[in-house]
Amino acid sequence: MNLLLIDKQGLATYAREEILRDQFHHHVDYVFTLEDFKAKYAVGRYKIVIVDFALEAGTEALKMIDTLDPKQRVIILSAMDDYSEHKGCAYCVEHHNRRRLKEPVSIAELANLIKNFDYTTCAHYHE
């Protein structure tokens, strides 16, 4: 499965990328900047985009995805309680194809959501 990971640089991100690739056999493209996201997203078709919402590039990437393909499968990683959709949770569920995992996220939890994305709802709906 083709995945695009928008995450901060560091050991945890590197580990996520490597484990998703090596143990779960996903193709993972990793980006850190908005410019890199634009370049990858323009040429690649990703089954799921995984976004660190705390990153400015992640927030901006979500805005771009909303205009290009609002039904793109997106997993949002965030320790914050802020909504990724400024119109609120109900709007997000009705108009987007997003799921949210609160940090810290285990690789098993992330891999399970990737595998079962279409069979889940956002666990944080109506929080």
Side-chain angles (χ1 to χ4, degrees):
M1 180 179 309
N2 286 341
L3 307 173
L4 179 59
L5 176 61
I6 306 166
D7 206 350
K8 55 191 155 292
Q9 294 174 321
L11 187 56
T13 299
Y14 176 75
R16 277 184 184 144
E17 180 183 4
E18 290 298 309
I19 292 170
L20 288 171
R21 182 178 296 126
D22 295 343
Q23 291 185 7
F24 296 97
H25 311 292
H26 296 301
H27 172 84
V28 181
D29 286 334
Y30 161 74
V31 297
F32 174 69
T33 68
L34 185 60
E35 292 74 28
D36 289 343
F37 165 77
K38 288 177 184 178
K40 290 281 186 185
Y41 199 75
V43 297
R45 183 69 189 135
Y46 296 97
K47 184 81 169 182
I48 298 176
V49 178
I50 303 166
V51 179
D52 181 341
F53 187 60
L55 218 63
E56 183 178 345
T59 305
E60 293 302 314
L62 280 175
K63 290 177 187 175
M64 287 187 64
I65 290 169
D66 286 349
T67 58
L68 298 171
D69 183 5
K71 289 298 184 177
Q72 166 72 59
R73 291 174 186 91
V74 176
I75 296 174
I76 297 172
L77 307 175
S78 177
M80 302 181 308
D81 289 329
D82 296 343
Y83 290 116
S84 63
E85 170 56 61
H86 69 278
K87 294 180 182 176
C89 195
Y91 182 89
C92 185
V93 168
E94 291 176 25
H95 294 90
H96 301 292
N97 204 6
R98 297 180 186 169
R99 310 293 186 267
R100 181 176 177 178
L101 292 174
K102 283 194 173 182
E103 296 278 14
V105 174
S106 72
I107 194 67
E109 186 178 18
L110 179 58
N112 184 54
L113 182 54
I114 291 168
K115 181 180 178 182
N116 297 303
F117 189 94
D118 290 331
Y119 307 106
T120 64
T121 58
C122 188
H124 302 282
Y125 185 46
H126 291 305
E127 273 191 359

